Amino acid sequence: MKKTLAIAIMTLVLAAVPAAQALEIDPNVMPEVNLGGRVIATVNANRAKDAAGSRDGDEHMDFSDSSLLLGFSKYLFDSRRYGFAVIGFKIPEDGTDLKDDIYFHELHAGVGGASWEAKLGRSRLGNALISFPTLREEDLLAYTHVGNGSSNAEAEEYQLFGNVIAGNWWFTKALSVDAGITGRTVTDVAGARTSGDQLNGAYLGLAYDLPESIKVGRGVRYAGLRFDTQEAQEIDAMLPKDRMNALIGALVVNLSGNPESTWVLDLQAIMNHGASVTDLASEAARARAKATSVATSIRYGYRPALQTHWQVALTLAWKDYRDFSDATAWAIVPSLAYRLGSGVDFLAQYRYSDYDSTLAAALDRKSEQMVWLGLQFALDATFNETVGERKSILNLEHNMLDIGPMGGGH
Amino acid sequence: MSSRREFLKVAAGAAAGGVASVAAAATSHGAAGATGPAAEAYGVSAPHGAYDSGSGSMMYMPGHSMIGARTNPPGAPADDQVEYREFDLSFDVAEHELLPGVKFPVFAFNGQVPGPLFRVQENDWIKVNVRNNTEEMHTIHWHGVDLIYTMDGVPMVNQDPIHPDEVFVYRFQARPMGTRFYHCHWSTPLHAMSALHGAFIIDSPNDPIRKQFPYTREYVLALEAFDINFTRKHMNELLKGMKRVNKLMADQQLTPLTHGFFQRYEHFLKAMQDGWRPPYTRGNAEVSQIRPTFFAINGKSFPATIGEHGHLKIRRGEYIRIRLISGSWFQHSMHLHGHQFWVVAEDGNVLPYFKRANTIHVAPGKTFDIIVYGDNPGFWDLHDHNELHTMNNGIYPGGMITMLEYEDMGQPPYVPSFSVNQ
């Protein structure tokens, strides 16, 4: 009898679930669907010199950072407000803790209006202001992002993505403030995830941002400042719970006014006030350590007839762990993307990294050279295009209700 | 925030304005230079050398700038040779409200949809100073007007396009009389339909229609179809591309390759052989699904066609003239309830006999004039009988519906209640 009652209750509960999940969905109101992402496949050759001067190396295939994004958006009764959702997954790097997984890096829903947008779910942590023209985002991760003090994993996904409750408010079309409560992934000392649903940080930023589509001539395209704070969770006795604060500043400047021959300078600095750590041997310790890092790149786009044929970039990065002597690292990265066709590119990149003695001892690596050669197929398609674009010319220059999500699946 | 994908992502293509224009250039010169059967084989024999594409666009002249320019093309009498009736017009980017709750961006003459109504007398000399307040190129084609070749408004054929911040002066004689219209002829699929079009009415004291049907009131109805999503997307792409084109032009670095225009067809072929690809080629094309879902009369969709925006009015015993102008992508089968009207003019020209009908098919580019006699008091529908065009975004009733109201009907026997979603 009890079993029958239990089954009956369970049946009722399950039957009630769909009604509880959503109110009314009008099947005639199709959302706009954005399909974005890329497959990037490279052959990597690595040569490293350890602290004692011995050399080692390997060659391997790398699909990491390949991703697929699905974005959905629709207006809420009229074109003044919109709702959106994004589902995206990435292929983690082989050789990391996540190597056999598919990682959902974007999984959030949001709403927005003419001067604001808010989202809730998994997304970027807001621990960097600009992106650099390296083939993959993680190629200079230690220099370009505020690290996750709660993670001892090698997986860059735990450095870039997490839970967010985030919002933007635009004072003008180009000037905005953004803020968020963040939840960085927590791991144990072995790098295994112990929690992914905590809220353990926050950020607040101010940015001037004119997108590339608007800003054609010389001058500043982006300038931003952001304060990022996180409560690093206890990993072990050497890495207790601790507060980390960081300040990020960034600038993007058009150096050339010729849209067929573009020169762009990217610059970002991170001042991480961090926490006190006893050594730099672990991922979490390096993320927590007080450090100053600067990354800059200059990129040239060859665009005859306003079609990109190829782009080259040179990125330089430097980082100093302030509490340690001889703990400076630097890297230089020339990279090339050659357009084979629309969205299909040949890629090449070289990176030289150098570590001072303290860091070299901690990493067991004095220097490292890496070469990438590969292909990428990138896509950015929109179906049922019914929602505007926040960064459109009609919105930015003509003040029209042509708004939509900042990101979506693009 | 700049995106890493922007580094890796290639540009979508050259200025979208080049899409249609390159295709047009290829078509117009195709018979002379295309491989395959000679044009003569199809019985289209042109005298040798009769068609020369001229000296090329001024866009590429060294040291040339159109910013702030005032262009007076040749071919028309000077100001002191004839008496001109002068008008000012502008190309603007505007946000247009089709009906409450639905706004969309448009290119518009004087910021309004449709453009201002011209009413002139036959054989008047007309001077129109048109200023381009947008970052896109434009022209004006005076549809159905027999004017001077250099004033016909076809870019790269009769004139250079009107550049941003340029004033172009059209001068011509208004003839023949009748219902004519004007529209932009640059990137026509977008510009003419969204929404650079307007009525150009040439009156005459000798109008036989007015003599036969002594009307005192008339109505001009521009019939329109709008894909507001395509318009928004396409305008954004155009303006984005033109920002770069204008920069290159200002720096005197614009080349035919960049904008996709060539002095001669052979130059186009040479560019193709050298690896340049026009935007319409496979792998390069922007695939646009154009699917209008809003239909309008004089820039308004039902129910905004009623009331202050002017539905049609008549009195018993009165003749009214209705001028129907297609500013649309589609044929519109305009049907008037309760009346047999006379079809009196087609393309502005008086018909040799006046046919009785209650439905008239107005195809793209066409105009029809009809005369209605007030002999059946009531409140009557005038609508497109392609009922797909009497919806607003798929919701009936809407779109291309208006009413003919008898002002002297008195107390109507039945007064229905209206709602947008019945």
Side-chain angles (χ1 to χ4, degrees):
Chain A
M1 181 62 188
K2 278 185 180 173
K3 188 177 177 184
T4 306
L5 185 61
I7 290 171
I9 290 170
M10 184 62 73
T11 305
L12 283 172
V13 168
L14 288 175
V17 164
Q21 282 175 335
L23 295 173
E24 186 180 332
I25 301 173
D26 185 343
N28 293 311
V29 187
M30 269 278 291
E32 176 176 308
V33 179
N34 310 115
L35 180 62
R38 64 169 180 166
V39 170
I40 174 170
T42 57
V43 175
N44 303 354
N46 178 46
R47 296 288 180 271
K49 187 162 73 173
D50 65 19
S54 303
R55 295 176 188 276
D56 194 10
D58 70 349
E59 294 80 32
H60 59 276
M61 196 86 183
D62 186 358
F63 312 106
S64 67
D65 214 28
S66 297
S67 62
L68 195 61
L69 271 172
L70 274 173
F72 306 93
S73 52
K74 59 169 70 170
Y75 282 128
L76 307 178
F77 302 112
D78 62 32
S79 55
R80 301 186 67 83
R81 282 170 288 276
Y82 55 88
F84 64 99
V86 180
I87 301 171
F89 59 84
K90 296 184 84 158
I91 309 300
E93 190 177 357
D94 205 28
T96 70
D97 321 85
L98 286 171
K99 65 180 178 183
D100 295 324
D101 295 343
I102 283 177
Y103 181 80
F104 284 89
H105 65 298
E106 298 281 359
L107 200 62
H108 61 259
V111 288
S115 58
W116 61 278
E117 183 173 305
K119 65 179 178 181
L120 179 71
R122 184 179 289 172
S123 190
R124 290 185 177 277
L125 283 167
N127 53 350
L129 289 177
I130 59 174
S131 299
F132 287 88
T134 52
L135 298 193
R136 293 184 172 88
E137 197 155 14
E138 67 266 27
D139 291 341
L140 288 169
L141 190 64
Y143 304 90
T144 56
H145 290 69
V146 177
N148 178 0
S150 302
S151 169
N152 208 32
E154 290 177 332
E156 64 271 7
E157 284 77 9
Y158 293 168
Q159 304 292 326
L160 300 169
F161 306 100
N163 299 329
V164 297
I165 303 166
N168 289 66
W169 184 273
W170 283 266
F171 300 113
T172 67
K173 298 292 183 185
L175 188 67
S176 67
V177 62
D178 62 356
I181 298 170
T182 55
R184 287 172 160 88
T185 304
V186 182
T187 75
D188 61 17
V189 71
R193 186 170 62 125
T194 57
S195 170
D197 58 2
Q198 288 185 11
L199 293 174
N200 48 29
Y203 66 84
L204 176 67
L206 183 70
Y208 167 83
D209 185 6
L210 271 182
E212 199 166 3
S213 59
I214 303 288
K215 182 69 178 172
V216 175
R218 288 191 182 91
V220 173
R221 242 174 48 200
Y222 175 89
L225 197 64
R226 185 176 290 168
F227 172 73
D228 178 84
T229 183
Q230 58 180 299
E231 187 170 62
Q233 303 300 296
E234 181 174 342
I235 292 178
D236 63 11
M238 302 296 288
L239 297 165
K241 185 178 277 194
D242 220 332
R243 171 63 58 185
M244 295 168 54
N245 296 324
L247 200 59
I248 316 169
L251 200 63
V252 179
V253 183
N254 276 359
L255 299 176
S256 158
N258 182 352
E260 292 188 304
S261 178
T262 58
W263 288 94
V264 179
L265 175 77
D266 302 296
L267 177 67
Q268 180 182 269
I270 299 174
M271 179 75 77
N272 186 359
H273 290 281
S276 294
V277 292
T278 55
D279 60 56
L280 297 171
S282 66
E283 294 279 348
R286 290 194 293 278
R288 292 180 182 211
K290 292 179 171 63
T292 304
S293 59
V294 179
T296 185
S297 74
I298 188 162
R299 50 193 156 112
Y300 172 77
Y302 177 64
R303 311 183 68 232
L306 295 173
Q307 288 187 323
T308 298
H309 281 213
W310 48 264
Q311 291 185 75
V312 290
L314 182 67
T315 306
L316 297 165
W318 172 89
K319 186 169 188 175
D320 179 53
Y321 295 91
R322 297 194 301 272
D323 280 354
F324 297 86
S325 59
D326 297 322
T328 299
W330 61 271
I332 182 168
V333 185
S335 47
L336 163 76
Y338 185 88
R339 184 190 196 224
L340 302 173
S342 179
V344 184
D345 308 311
F346 167 76
L347 306 174
Q349 182 172 274
Y350 168 79
R351 181 182 69 194
Y352 177 81
S353 306
D354 188 89
Y355 307 96
D356 275 359
S357 56
T358 303
L359 204 51
L363 295 169
D364 194 21
R365 199 181 312 145
K366 174 68 182 96
S367 64
E368 184 182 33
Q369 298 181 74
M370 189 112 166
V371 174
W372 292 259
L373 293 173
L375 288 174
Q376 80 160 350
F377 186 107
L379 69 155
D380 186 351
T382 301
F383 306 95
N384 189 38
E385 183 152 353
T386 50
V387 179
E389 302 167 60
R390 181 168 293 281
K391 292 186 176 179
S392 72
I393 289 181
L394 288 170
N395 182 38
L396 295 177
E397 292 193 342
H398 298 280
N399 200 30
M400 290 195 189
L401 290 175
D402 184 41
I403 52 169
M406 275 192 303
H410 298 292
Chain B
M1 176 167 167
S2 70
S3 144
R4 180 170 45 96
R5 290 189 60 225
E6 283 172 12
F7 169 72
L8 299 165
K9 187 175 146 185
V10 292
V19 176
S21 309
V22 168
T27 304
S28 61
H29 300 78
T35 56
E40 288 82 352
Y42 295 107
V44 188
S45 179
H48 180 70
Y51 188 68
D52 191 323
S53 52
S55 57
S57 168
M58 63 178 77
M59 280 193 291
Y60 311 120
M61 283 184 181
H64 184 80
S65 170
M66 300 307 292
I67 296 170
R70 183 179 175 90
T71 301
N72 287 282
D79 282 353
D80 57 358
Q81 290 179 303
V82 297
E83 187 176 344
Y84 280 107
R85 292 186 61 186
E86 193 164 350
F87 301 87
D88 290 326
L89 209 57
S90 62
F91 299 101
D92 297 310
V93 173
E95 188 170 42
H96 178 67
E97 183 178 85
L98 269 175
L99 72 166
V102 179
K103 290 181 178 178
F104 74 115
V106 289
F107 291 122
F109 286 112
N110 289 10
Q112 67 181 67
V113 180
L117 170 71
F118 283 82
R119 288 214 79 118
V120 299
Q121 289 294 315
E122 190 174 32
N123 294 324
D124 278 354
W125 282 93
I126 307 299
K127 179 179 176 183
V128 181
N129 309 300
V130 56
R131 168 178 289 281
N132 185 356
N133 293 328
T134 77
E135 288 192 288
E136 166 65 322
M137 307 276 188
H138 301 282
T139 67
I140 300 180
H141 169 58
W142 309 92
H143 191 107
V145 181
D146 297 343
L147 39 58
I148 304 155
Y149 159 74
T150 50
M151 305 293 169
D152 195 43
V154 182
M156 309 306 187
V157 176
N158 316 121
Q159 66 167 90
D160 257 23
I162 304 170
H163 289 52
D165 202 28
E166 178 187 354
V167 174
F168 192 96
V169 183
Y170 287 99
R171 288 184 174 89
F172 57 89
Q173 194 170 28
R175 64 185 178 85
M177 70 162 190
T179 302
R180 318 287 166 186
F181 65 106
Y182 62 102
H183 62 83
C184 182
H185 213 294
W186 176 268
S187 199
T188 315
L190 171 70
H191 288 211
M193 309 303 171
S194 303
L196 289 166
H197 56 253
F200 193 88
I201 309 301
I202 305 176
D203 289 315
S204 168
N206 303 316
D207 183 353
I209 297 169
R210 190 187 288 267
K211 285 178 178 171
Q212 182 161 343
F213 304 99
Y215 64 86
T216 54
R217 283 195 282 190
E218 65 173 82
Y219 297 91
V220 180
L221 306 185
L223 310 178
E224 298 148 324
F226 299 116
D227 181 339
I228 63 175
N229 293 312
F230 166 76
T231 299
R232 182 186 61 221
K233 175 185 172 186
H234 207 60
M235 280 181 74
N236 269 318
E237 290 300 316
L238 269 177
L239 294 172
K240 193 161 76 177
M242 283 307 297
K243 206 169 266 299
R244 286 154 178 75
V245 168
N246 291 330
K247 180 75 168 65
L248 288 167
M249 198 157 29
D251 295 344
Q252 296 169 20
Q253 291 178 315
L254 189 67
T255 68
L257 285 180
T258 307
H259 214 182
F261 288 100
F262 300 92
Q263 189 175 337
R264 301 188 62 82
Y265 183 65
E266 291 74 17
H267 300 168
F268 165 66
L269 291 179
K270 176 70 167 53
M272 292 283 285
Q273 286 163 5
D274 291 344
W276 179 83
R277 288 291 175 269
Y280 59 74
T281 53
R282 300 177 74 178
N284 236 353
E286 173 198 356
V287 181
S288 291
Q289 303 251 342
I290 305 174
R291 195 165 58 99
T293 55
F294 286 95
F295 304 89
I297 298 172
N298 290 344
K300 295 293 174 185
S301 301
F302 179 84
T305 52
I306 306 297
E308 63 173 298
H309 294 293
H311 56 273
L312 286 59
K313 292 179 180 169
I314 196 169
R315 302 178 76 87
R316 272 181 281 202
E318 180 187 5
Y319 290 105
I320 61 167
R321 181 173 184 168
I322 303 173
R323 300 173 187 263
L324 299 163
I325 297 173
S326 173
S328 168
W329 323 58
F330 299 108
Q331 175 168 294
H332 299 292
S333 301
M334 300 307 292
H335 171 58
L336 176 63
H337 289 211
H339 295 77
Q340 307 302 320
F341 52 72
W342 287 270
V343 182
V344 293
E346 178 177 359
D347 290 342
N349 304 315
V350 180
L351 289 168
Y353 73 97
F354 301 153
K355 185 170 68 172
R356 300 300 292 270
N358 54 55
T359 305
I360 182 81
H361 308 295
V362 188
K366 299 289 283 184
T367 72
F368 281 100
D369 292 28
I370 62 174
I371 297 288
V372 180
Y373 182 62
D375 58 2
N376 192 4
F379 197 60
W380 301 102
D381 254 22
L382 171 60
H383 66 98
D384 187 352
H385 219 284
N386 180 344
E387 300 293 357
L388 293 174
H389 302 162
T390 55
M391 297 193 288
N392 293 330
N393 218 13
I395 306 296
Y396 180 88
M400 213 168 273
I401 299 175
T402 190
M403 294 286 167
L404 177 68
E405 178 192 0
Y406 275 74
E407 291 177 307
D408 56 351
M409 186 166 56
Q411 188 63 34
Y414 170 66
V415 180
S417 61
F418 271 97
S419 70
V420 175
N421 296 307
Q422 288 183 346

